[in-house]
Amino acid sequence: MDFQLSEEQTLLRDTTRDVLSRTYDTENRLKVLDTDLGWSRDVWKQLAEIGILGLGFDEDAGGQIEIQVVLTEVGRRLAPEPVVHAALGPGSLIAEVGTAEQRGLLDEIAAGERLLAFAHSEPGMRRPTAGVTTSAVREGDSWVINGLKSPVLAGDCADTLVVSAALPDGGTGLFLVDAAAVTRTPYRTFDGQRGAQLGFDKTPAEPLGEAADASAAIGRTLVRISSALCAEALGAMEEALRLTAEYLTQRKQFGVTLSKFQTLTQRAADMYVSLELARSMALYAAMSIADGDLDPTIAARAKLQIGRSGRHISQEAIQLHGGIGVTAEYPVGHYAARLTAIEHTLGSSQDQLHALIGQLGDYGVVTI
């Protein structure tokens, strides 16, 4: 099997890396995070011009492998732009189940002119599921939504919300909601990203596609988002390991560099093993989606390994750096924070493990 990137994918990777590297070093990133928005609209416009914000919306716009390539670079630079949560994730839902008129919004999204947010998670929701308590009620020829959504990543800045809500006849439907019509409580996450709690009180809503059960489409979107997060984590792990290896060759103790201490180099080698395990699973998840297999079991396997590898690499990176690893001015601690946040998005490693354990009964038993 050929795991090499095509010429077009390599160009996309290099272009994305160039744009983000020119914008984000540690100091500039911290300045951007401290703004009210928390990310750069100039960078967002550049990503739109490259074509990144429309990936996966149709066959000609690239697929999951291209998304994997881009998100790895986003993770490598810790770019705060909400590429997944404000564009690719909810945009894929509109592309899949929206009407022809609603799919017209995709041009604005790809151009960076309209920001989305997928309002699906609710308080107490531990891992991805299509079932929600937020409800949709028909009032005459229109619909209204009641309930609470949190956390909603990119919900603080979104123009349009894609909201999941329980239908009167059962199942979970999808609705488009004007973000200005909801009660928003924005907040910063501990890794510097942005989110919001959204309150719906008889909020007008437009069915996305038909007002029918969209549980299957929601499940497929959660798999896509999970794969994208795995790719972002992979980029963060690669850079955390690179910084650690570089530090070991420069920092001196007892007159020699730390790389001369066998125990430390062995720990760095173990970090590399964790990285390669994560790379294999992230690629496995992306290639499965590219082949049309949006299996939540595959997503759980990948997310579990990504979480375990991310925790190992981030903890070891901080330990091998010593005190400097937890200072705000040095990047390693920020990579650890982002990897921790990714692990707990759409279910922690423990949640993924429980999901996989629950499927053991589906497998046959081999006796010898």
Side-chain angles (χ1 to χ4, degrees), residues 2 24 41 51 55 58 79-80 93 100 104 113 121 141 150 188 192 216 219 232 236 247 250 274 321:
D2 184 9
Y24 290 120
R41 289 194 181 273
L55 289 174
D58 58 59
L93 267 176
E113 299 168 356
S121 295
D141 294 332
S150 181
R188 291 182 60 165
E232 183 181 350
Y247 183 78
Q250 296 176 349
S274 287
H321 275 84

Side-chain angles (χ1 to χ4, degrees), residues 9 52-53 86 200 208 224 230 247 269 286 297 308 342 356:
Q9 291 165 346
I52 288 173
L53 302 184
F200 300 84
L208 181 60
R224 294 188 187 98
C230 288
Y247 183 78
T297 299
R308 287 175 169 175
I342 289 175
L356 295 172

Side-chain angles (χ1 to χ4, degrees), residues 297 355-365:
T297 299
L356 295 172
I357 290 172
Q359 298 176 7
L360 288 178
D362 298 335
Y363 296 92
V365 177

